[in-house]
Structure formats: C-alpha cells, structure tokens
C-alpha cells in the first residue's frame, strides 16, 4: 500500500508581515502557525510523517513542541520552489516508488480535516495528482499603471491553495525539470510543465494563507469559529 508523507516549506522570512521573526513562528493562541499547520496534516491518520524544511541558519524550529511523526530538514532555499525541491530530494531517498506527498504551506493553519480527506481521497485516485482550490467569485481586473486595462473572463478561474498532492516520483521529476523556471509558483505549476493536468478539488475559502498582520486576526476568527482556538 502506498505511504503518504507531508512536506511543509517553512524557510521563508515573511517580509510582508513586518514582524520580528519569520511569520511561521508567530503565535496564534497557544501555538505557532507552523505547529498548527503541522497538526493540520497529521490530523489524517493516513499521513505517515511530516518533513519541515527550514532555513539552514534557523534556530527556532528545534525549540518547538513538534509531534514525534515530524522531522526538521535544514534544507531551505532562496525560493519556496527551491525549499520544496531540496526537501523532496531527502524524502525521495526514503520513500517507495508508489508513495505520495502532500505539500502544505506553513502559513495555512486553518485547513480542516474534511478538506484534507477529500484531497487524499480524490487526488490520490488521479495519476496527475490534485490540489485544493476555490472557484473565483469576484470580478477580476488586469491593471496597467493604476487603471483597469482589462476585465478578465472569470469563468473557469480558480484560486490554488495547499495542500497539493502528488506521487513523489512525479513531483520530483517536475521540480527538477522546472528548476530554472520562474513561473512555477506552486507545485501544480511545475507538474503542469510536464504536460499533466492535476485535479482541482473544491476546498474552503477559510483555508487562508496568512500573509499580513490582518490575516493573523482573520485566522484567529476562523479558528475560533472552527472550535480549534
Ligand atoms: O511567502 P509565502 O507566503 O508565499 O510562502 C509560502 C510558504 O513557502 C511559507 O510556508 C514559507 O515559509 C515557504 N518558503 C520557503 N522558502 C522560501 C520562501 C518561502 O520555504 N525561500
């Protein structure tokens, strides 16, 4: 039977947060964003182990109260894609041919078990893998010098979230091949460059990525409403 591993890139500095430490180490109640995001993945018993990729000079991760099924890899790179690629090289070395990987942002602490289960159930049946996403409901504008250049056709547009779920072999191949591409801002984009079409699995708008101080307050409200504060 296939094993499922988690990989959390947590080597960013979170400059847009303007905080005194990288945003993954900011507190949301009694836990940091990173600890909560790890717990989100381990909430599904099918996830065997979670690898956390931190910056080589990181000295905070080791001080956290992380569950036993976690391992810290000091393999972070200059970009998110590089951190994931470096982490995946390690995971690839210990994983079997048929094993799968869930890649999840350290900054998405509001992921609910039901969304993760849907991704594993539906994405895991698809050779191309899958990702959580939400259909766009706002009207979308393309900007040029502060003015509307164009209204973009909204039909068929989705906002990509994490986790994203792929066969380890497929994602490794995709990330090694896209190493010099600047356009791959998530794992799915790298997999798409192989000519594959990952499945879109409807997630929830509450699975936000915490980017600014305002997002921290929003995440607090969501976690309270979910009864997880
Ligand atoms: O900055 P942003 O919110 O887009 O980062 C998304 C995720 O990628 C975060 O978990 C962040 O720590 C991680 N990251 C990384 N290595 C980088 C940049 C970002 O692991 N060089």
């Amino acid at each position: 039977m296939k094993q499922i591993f988690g990989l959390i890139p947590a080597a960013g500095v979170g400059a847009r947060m303007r905080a005194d430490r990288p945003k993954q180490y900011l507190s949301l109640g009694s836990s940091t964003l990173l600890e909560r995001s790890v717990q989100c993945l381990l909430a599904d018993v099918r996830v065997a182990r979670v690898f956390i990729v931190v910056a080589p000079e990181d000295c905070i991760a080791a001080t956290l109260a992380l569950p036993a099924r976690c391992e810290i890899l000091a393999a972070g790179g200059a970009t998110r894609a590089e951190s994931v690629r470096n982490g995946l090289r390690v995971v690839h070395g210990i994983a079997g041919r048929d094993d799968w990987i869930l890649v999840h942002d350290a900054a998405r602490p509001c992921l609910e078990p039901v969304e993760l289960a849907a991704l594993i159930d539906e994405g895991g049946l698809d050779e191309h893998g899958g990702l959580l996403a939400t259909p766009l409901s706002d009207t979308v504008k393309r900007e040029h010098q502060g003015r509307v250049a164009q209204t973009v056709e909204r039909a068929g547009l989705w906002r990509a979230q994490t986790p994203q779920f792929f066969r380890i072999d497929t994602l490794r191949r995709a990330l090694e091949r896209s190493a010099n591409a600047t356009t791959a801002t998530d794992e799915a984009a790298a997999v798409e460059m192989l000519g594959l079409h990952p499945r879109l699995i409807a997630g929830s708008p509450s699975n936000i990525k915490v980017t600014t101080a305002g997002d921290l307050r929003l995440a607090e409200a969501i976690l309270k409403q979910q009864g997880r504060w």
Side-chain angles (χ1 to χ4, degrees):
M1 208 177 87
K2 72 184 180 200
Q3 284 203 94
I4 299 172
F5 296 104
L7 181 72
I8 297 190
V13 290
R16 285 167 289 182
M17 187 62 76
R18 297 174 191 280
D20 60 353
R21 73 201 97 155
K23 70 176 171 186
Q24 57 271 26
Y25 297 125
L26 295 176
S27 293
L28 267 176
S30 54
S31 307
T32 60
L33 263 81
L34 175 60
E35 288 167 304
R36 285 188 180 272
S37 297
V38 168
Q39 286 157 10
C40 288
L41 288 190
L42 289 176
D44 196 301
V45 293
R46 291 172 288 183
V47 178
R49 234 156 118 189
V50 171
F51 296 86
I52 303 166
V53 182
V54 301
E57 65 277 11
D58 185 295
C59 44
I60 303 180
T63 68
L64 300 179
L66 293 166
R69 280 190 288 150
C70 267
E71 195 168 317
I72 297 168
L73 306 175
T79 63
R80 181 184 185 288
E82 211 175 302
S83 298
V84 174
R85 190 180 307 118
N86 292 348
L88 206 57
R89 282 180 186 152
V90 177
V91 181
H92 190 256
I94 59 161
R97 275 190 63 79
D98 291 330
D99 292 346
W100 285 61
I101 189 102
L102 286 159
V103 182
H104 186 47
D105 288 328
R108 289 190 192 266
C110 303
L111 171 73
E112 290 202 87
V114 64
E115 295 155 22
L116 178 57
L119 175 64
I120 293 175
D121 289 342
E122 295 178 42
L125 292 176
D126 198 305
E127 277 304 305
H128 300 208
L131 62 146
L132 289 179
T134 54
L136 224 63
S137 52
D138 296 317
T139 299
V140 180
K141 308 289 186 189
R142 188 181 306 284
E143 179 256 10
H144 180 67
Q145 295 180 345
R147 293 177 181 276
V148 176
Q150 189 193 6
T151 297
V152 179
E153 174 61 59
R154 176 178 69 194
L157 291 185
W158 292 60
R159 298 159 71 105
Q161 301 179 336
T162 71
Q164 304 198 352
F165 191 41
F166 302 98
R167 267 185 197 283
I168 292 176
D169 264 358
T170 305
L171 185 57
R172 172 111 203 278
R173 207 156 36 92
L175 290 173
E176 296 295 342
R177 198 177 288 189
S178 67
N180 298 318
T182 51
T183 47
T185 50
D186 68 353
E187 289 63 53
V191 169
E192 290 154 38
M193 287 179 200
L194 293 179
L196 300 178
H197 300 281
R199 180 172 293 274
L200 289 163
I201 292 146
S204 159
S206 61
N207 180 19
I208 61 166
K209 183 163 83 163
V210 175
T211 305
T212 64
D215 296 335
L216 266 183
R217 292 189 288 275
L218 182 56
E220 175 176 343
I222 292 169
L223 289 166
K224 282 180 174 161
Q225 190 262 332
Q226 292 172 341
R228 298 198 289 170
W229 185 252

